[in-house]
Amino acid sequence: SESEQETRSHTEKIAYELSQTRQLLKRPGDQTTDWETAEKIVKSPVRKVLYCCHRPFIRLEKNTWEPLLAWANNQALLSLLGLGANIGLIIAVATYIGSEKHRRNAEVLSAWQTITNAHGQAGSGGRIQALEFLNASPGANWRRKFPWVCAPSSICLWPAESLAGLDLSVDGFNSVVSNSQSELNDDTKVVEVDSGVYLRNIQLPRADLEDANLTRASLRGANLERANLEGANLERVNLRDANLERANLWNTHLELASLRGANLERVYLEYANLERANLGYANLARADLGHANLARADLEGANLEGANLRYANLEGANLGGANLEGANLRYANLERDFLGGANLEGALLEGANLKAVRNAIAQQFAQAKLCNTQLSSNMALFSDRDCEGLGILF
């Protein structure tokens, strides 16, 4: 009948909807149970009302659960992709750190090429940055290595490259003549170089510059604290106002060099050649100048307190206003020196040659230590005055 056909059609529709919902939500059951449940709903008015009320929630469940199920199904892929990204990042970091030494070597080679390509040229030519890089000078980020956060610990710093034998000489130069001592020594002119390789204010503390050739270079204001310049050629170099505290300048050539106002405290200048050098107002406190050649050098106003000038050659030097308090001048040659205003308090002058000194007065030697001292004929002093106090017996 028409009524039975309508009931059957309604049952089929509900059974289909129940089947779709069961499959979507992955609930247990089959087509038979779906059909039986549909028949119960059709036959029972109460169940029919409850089913009609529940139908709107079926779409909500579908719209909610389908994306959630899709996301859940993709979790394995997302986890795999995340793991791959992390592994890639670890490999990239390890590669970067592992190749750090290789990159450093390439940068060192580039710095040396900069210096080599500019050889014989005046000016800077990028050599200031190249030399500071090679010396791993403090304050430069390029001296740090992994792990960078622990700098300035030595374990995190690249070691300095040796600059021994470096040749920065330039052929031909222009010079400026200083008249600071021209009135004192007519045969002496102190030459202050203002050309050549331009390295002003360069930072090279503790640099190894043994046997380097820096002839005529401009290093004014440079920081060479504790640098090793043993045997280096610094002839006519401009080191005005430079810091060379505790530097090693043993047997160094500094003829006609300008060191005016430089800090040379505790510097090692034994056997160095400073002939006609300009050391005016330089700080040479407790410096070692034993056997150094300072003939005709300008030491006006220099601080030589406690300095060792044993056997030094100071013939014709200008020591006007210099502080020689407590200096060791044993067997030093001060012949024809200008000593006007020099402080010789406590200076040891045993065996020193003070013949023909100029502008010196007896009062300057009142507290100096004299023994076997060679004095000027016009100086009314006993040359062996302090031998007994010094424990020296003849």
Side-chain angles (χ1 to χ4, degrees):
S1 65
E2 185 178 345
S3 177
E4 290 176 352
Q5 189 176 359
E6 183 179 351
T7 300
R8 182 177 179 81
S9 176
H10 196 192
T11 302
E12 287 178 351
K13 182 179 180 181
I14 294 174
Y16 177 77
E17 290 178 350
L18 290 172
S19 176
Q20 292 295 311
T21 301
R22 176 177 55 75
Q23 292 178 22
L24 175 65
L25 301 179
K26 295 183 179 181
R27 291 175 178 172
D30 52 27
Q31 291 183 351
T32 303
T33 57
D34 293 337
W35 182 265
E36 291 175 354
T37 303
E39 286 183 331
K40 290 178 182 179
I41 291 172
V42 170
K43 292 178 181 179
S44 172
V46 176
R47 288 183 176 179
K48 188 181 290 186
V49 171
L50 291 173
Y51 176 74
C52 290
C53 293
H54 181 64
R55 285 183 67 187
F57 293 99
I58 294 175
R59 183 175 296 276
L60 178 63
E61 287 181 350
K62 179 180 179 181
N63 294 335
T64 302
W65 280 103
E66 280 185 342
L68 289 174
L69 289 171
W71 175 82
N73 289 333
N74 288 329
Q75 284 309 293
L77 178 60
L78 291 174
S79 298
L80 183 61
L81 290 174
L83 179 61
N86 291 334
I87 293 173
L89 180 61
I90 293 170
I91 292 172
V93 172
T95 302
Y96 180 82
I97 295 171
S99 62
E100 190 176 20
K101 178 61 176 175
H102 177 74
R103 293 194 308 277
R104 173 73 182 184
N105 291 340
E107 291 168 344
V108 168
L109 178 61
S110 177
W112 277 118
Q113 287 176 337
T114 298
I115 295 168
T116 302
N117 292 338
H119 179 69
Q121 300 177 17
S124 172
R127 281 172 288 196
I128 292 177
Q129 293 82 357
L131 288 168
E132 288 183 344
F133 172 82
L134 291 170
N135 190 55
S137 297
N141 291 330
W142 53 62
R143 80 189 298 245
R144 300 183 179 186
K145 63 180 179 179
F146 186 84
W148 309 281
V149 292
C150 69
S153 173
S154 59
I155 196 174
C156 297
L157 301 177
W158 292 108
E161 299 290 323
S162 174
L163 302 174
L166 179 71
D167 187 0
L168 296 178
S169 59
V170 176
D171 292 331
F173 64 97
N174 296 317
S175 60
V176 177
V177 178
S178 168
N179 294 319
S180 60
Q181 81 178 122
S182 60
E183 296 179 0
L184 304 174
N185 299 308
D186 295 334
D187 59 342
T188 301
K189 297 290 184 183
V190 178
V191 178
E192 186 170 295
V193 177
D194 199 28
S195 65
V197 178
Y198 189 91
L199 299 173
R200 289 196 178 187
N201 299 312
I202 193 169
Q203 300 295 306
L204 292 175
R206 299 177 183 272
D208 180 12
L209 287 157
E210 184 176 354
D211 296 321
N213 186 358
L214 299 169
T215 307
R216 306 182 183 104
S218 179
L219 288 151
R220 183 169 182 172
N223 180 12
L224 291 160
E225 183 179 357
R226 295 177 183 266
N228 177 23
L229 287 148
E230 181 178 330
N233 186 359
L234 300 170
E235 185 178 352
R236 299 177 184 268
V237 73
N238 184 358
L239 282 161
R240 191 182 181 106
D241 302 317
N243 179 19
L244 290 128
E245 184 177 352
R246 294 177 181 268
N248 177 16
L249 290 153
W250 184 85
N251 198 31
T252 301
H253 292 274
L254 284 153
E255 299 97 316
L256 290 162
S258 175
L259 291 145
R260 193 172 184 85
N263 180 17
L264 296 155
E265 186 174 356
R266 295 179 181 272
V267 73
Y268 188 59
L269 278 161
E270 191 170 10
Y271 292 99
N273 188 355
L274 290 143
E275 186 175 358
R276 296 174 65 189
N278 184 352
L279 291 150
Y281 300 96
N283 180 17
L284 289 149
R286 293 177 293 282
D288 188 351
L289 289 147
H291 300 273
N293 181 15
L294 289 149
R296 294 180 289 172
D298 183 6
L299 288 150
E300 181 184 3
N303 181 18
L304 289 152
E305 183 180 357
N308 175 27
L309 288 151
R310 184 175 179 177
Y311 292 100
N313 180 19
L314 289 145
E315 183 179 356
N318 173 21
L319 287 160
N323 180 17
L324 289 154
E325 183 179 350
N328 181 0
L329 288 152
R330 291 185 67 194
Y331 299 99
N333 182 12
L334 290 94
E335 187 174 4
R336 296 189 302 111
D337 277 14
F338 183 86
L339 290 171
N343 177 15
L344 292 159
E345 183 179 348
L348 177 58
L349 293 164
E350 180 194 350
N353 180 4
L354 290 159
K355 291 180 179 179
V357 291
R358 293 172 293 164
N359 285 56
I361 58 176
Q363 282 183 321
Q364 288 178 264
F365 299 91
Q367 296 186 51
K369 298 171 183 177
L370 307 178
C371 181
N372 197 28
T373 307
Q374 301 177 55
L375 298 168
S376 176
S377 58
N378 61 355
M379 197 172 294
L381 291 169
F382 180 40
S383 61
D384 293 327
R385 181 184 65 192
D386 302 298
C387 288
E388 186 176 349
L390 294 169
I392 299 171
L393 302 175
F394 296 98

